[in-house]
């Protein structure tokens, strides 16, 4: 919807949907021609679209149905709020699936348009755009100096992890690798809690993927590590000792690597029951948060990064900003 703010600039109301391996999310926002966007609603549901896809190569019918139910609700919400443009981006799980056409047909019949099954490169660019757009404002809110570019934005998803290096001029280099909290859990972390051998194999898997990253992304040039998506924000919430999940407190927080190590070790040593009882834990992350925290810990150690700046804004915000501004 096009309207005018008090100071007169044009604002576009858009709806962005991000469908990943683990969750599907909605953002309806008013985006001005310049500056910060205003959220009207943010929603997230864990639908586990990528359930079993690493082993079978196919999307499970029940996973597609869970996604359809969530998407139907998002479509109604976008319409009710008056969004004039909508874009759904689908990432790792649907890129990999042999029955991708079944998923696309479901989206077409539910949303009224096909999803954009985006490449790893575009996923990385959208994540970078969303993650970095409000970093300076978040630093001010925390009474901290602005983070120093270049930024290495790391988006730990369910099926893949994106690494993007860039600055105000845009993306310099990017690489998407097939490690994510769902994929790593299904491959390696089967115990409750996982065994030392399972964790060792998972660490080896992450390190092998990081070697692919360093071949294409000059991570040593990074001035600041920016971590986005649910694994990182949950680790931050635990590290901050929050009594409940609080996105305002999490956004822009800075977590030292030593604290990331402690949280990662604790999550991997915890039973499912203890993880589920943590006050900041979303029910849909209970089974996969250990793998997500492990990915963050290993990449920080391997790349020699002292802290992570945590962003609540990510690919979802990037989809909305690009949709509104082109």
């Amino acid at each position: 919807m096009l309207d005018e703010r008090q100071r007169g600039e044009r604002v576009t109301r858009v709806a962005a949907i991000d469908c990943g391996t683990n969750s599907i999310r909605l953002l309806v926002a008013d985006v001005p021609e310049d500056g910060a966007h205003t959220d009207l609603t943010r929603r997230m549901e864990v639908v586990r679209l990528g359930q079993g896809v690493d082993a079978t190569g196919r999307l499970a019918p029940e996973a597609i149905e869970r996604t359809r139910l969530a998407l139907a609700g998002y479509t109604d919400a976008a319409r009710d709020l008056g969004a004039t443009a909508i874009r759904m981006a689908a990432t790792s799980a649907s890129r990999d699936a042999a029955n991708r056409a079944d998923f696309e047909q479901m989206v077409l019949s539910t949303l009224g348009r096909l999803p954009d099954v985006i490449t790893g490169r575009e996923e990385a660019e959208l994540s970078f755009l969303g993650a970095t757009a409000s970093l300076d404002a978040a630093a001010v809110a925390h009474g901290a100096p602005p983070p120093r570019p270049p930024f290495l934005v790391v988006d730990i998803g369910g099926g893949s992890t994106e690494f993007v290096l860039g600055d105000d001029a845009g993306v310099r280099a990017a690489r998407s690798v097939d490690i994510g909290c769902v994929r790593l859990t299904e491959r390696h972390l089967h115990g409750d809690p996982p065994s030392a051998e399972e964790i060792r194999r998972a660490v080896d898997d992450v390190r092998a993927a990081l070697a692919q990253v360093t071949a294409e992304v000059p991570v040593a040039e990074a001035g600041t590590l920016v971590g986005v998506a649910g694994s990182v924000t949950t680790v931050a919430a635990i590290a901050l000792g929050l009594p409940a999940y609080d996105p305002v407190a999490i956004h822009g927080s800075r977590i030292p690597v030593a604290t990331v190590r402690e949280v990662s070790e604790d999550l991997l040593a915890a039973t499912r029951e203890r993880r589920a009882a943590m006050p900041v834990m979303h029910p849909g992350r209970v089974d996969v948060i250990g793998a997500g925290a492990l990915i963050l810990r290993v990449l920080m150690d391997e790349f020699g990064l002292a802290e992570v700046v945590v962003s609540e804004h990510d690919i979802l915000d990037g989809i909305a900003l690009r949709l509104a501004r082109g």
Side-chain angles (χ1 to χ4, degrees):
M1 153 188 245
L2 294 182
D3 59 25
E4 300 295 319
R5 288 189 175 180
Q6 286 184 351
R7 61 180 183 270
E9 85 273 26
R10 192 173 72 163
V11 175
T12 307
R13 182 165 297 181
V14 297
I17 298 171
D18 168 38
C19 185
T21 302
N22 194 47
S23 62
I24 184 169
R25 299 180 300 148
L26 168 72
L27 169 64
V28 180
D30 284 338
V31 182
E33 293 172 304
D34 190 35
H37 54 287
T38 301
D39 294 2
L40 278 76
T41 189
R42 280 184 189 261
R43 290 167 57 177
M44 187 273 282
E45 294 182 48
V46 174
V47 295
R48 201 66 59 84
L49 178 63
Q51 168 195 329
V53 75
D54 191 51
T56 68
R58 299 179 65 82
L59 299 172
E62 61 269 28
I64 294 176
E65 174 62 12
R66 289 193 299 266
T67 306
R68 185 193 68 79
L69 291 171
L71 182 59
Y74 290 179
T75 304
D76 290 343
R79 184 185 304 115
D80 292 345
L81 288 168
T84 59
I86 187 166
R87 184 187 187 195
M88 176 178 174
T91 53
S92 178
S94 50
R95 279 200 304 262
D96 298 342
N99 60 335
R100 168 173 154 178
D102 294 342
F103 169 73
E104 292 180 334
Q105 183 56 46
M106 178 277 290
V107 174
L108 179 61
S109 62
T110 306
L111 185 64
R113 58 160 295 164
L114 286 168
D116 293 325
V117 182
I118 60 177
T119 64
R121 174 71 187 198
E122 186 178 5
E123 185 176 355
E125 290 173 349
L126 291 169
S127 293
F128 184 84
L129 174 62
T132 60
S134 61
L135 286 181
D136 286 356
V140 170
H142 283 272
R148 182 169 57 90
F151 305 116
L152 178 64
V153 174
V154 176
D155 184 341
I156 300 174
S160 63
T161 296
E162 282 64 57
F163 295 80
V164 197
L165 183 73
D167 51 27
D168 290 343
V171 171
R172 297 186 187 178
R175 178 64 195 260
S176 177
V177 289
D178 284 339
I179 52 166
C181 59
V182 174
R183 200 183 295 264
L184 210 63
T185 300
E186 291 184 349
R187 282 180 184 172
H188 304 295
L189 305 180
H190 305 135
D192 183 25
S195 68
E197 177 60 20
E198 289 173 342
I199 293 170
R200 185 195 65 76
R201 289 198 299 266
V203 169
D204 288 346
D205 205 355
V206 175
R207 285 176 174 157
L210 295 180
Q212 300 173 37
V213 174
T214 54
E216 296 184 29
V217 180
V219 295
E221 296 178 8
T224 301
L225 170 66
V226 181
V228 303
S231 290
V232 177
T233 60
T234 302
V235 167
I238 295 169
L240 294 169
L242 299 178
Y245 193 91
D246 181 354
V248 174
I250 293 167
H251 187 54
S253 61
R254 302 182 182 206
I255 311 300
V257 64
T259 306
V260 171
R261 291 190 196 111
E262 292 171 6
V263 172
S264 174
E265 289 171 7
D266 183 61
L267 287 168
L268 289 167
T271 62
R272 187 185 192 283
E273 182 180 15
R274 184 159 75 83
R275 293 194 305 273
M278 294 177 178
V280 299
M281 189 68 64
H282 188 285
R285 299 211 181 275
V286 173
D287 293 329
V288 298
I289 185 59
L294 176 69
I295 293 168
L296 179 62
R297 189 267 293 175
V298 174
L299 75 88
M300 291 183 74
D301 281 339
E302 290 292 300
F303 294 161
L305 298 164
E307 68 174 11
V308 56
V309 176
V310 182
S311 177
E312 280 280 346
H313 295 175
D314 53 24
I315 186 172
L316 190 61
D317 301 80
I319 295 166
L321 290 168
R322 183 165 288 179
L323 182 59
R325 294 174 179 165

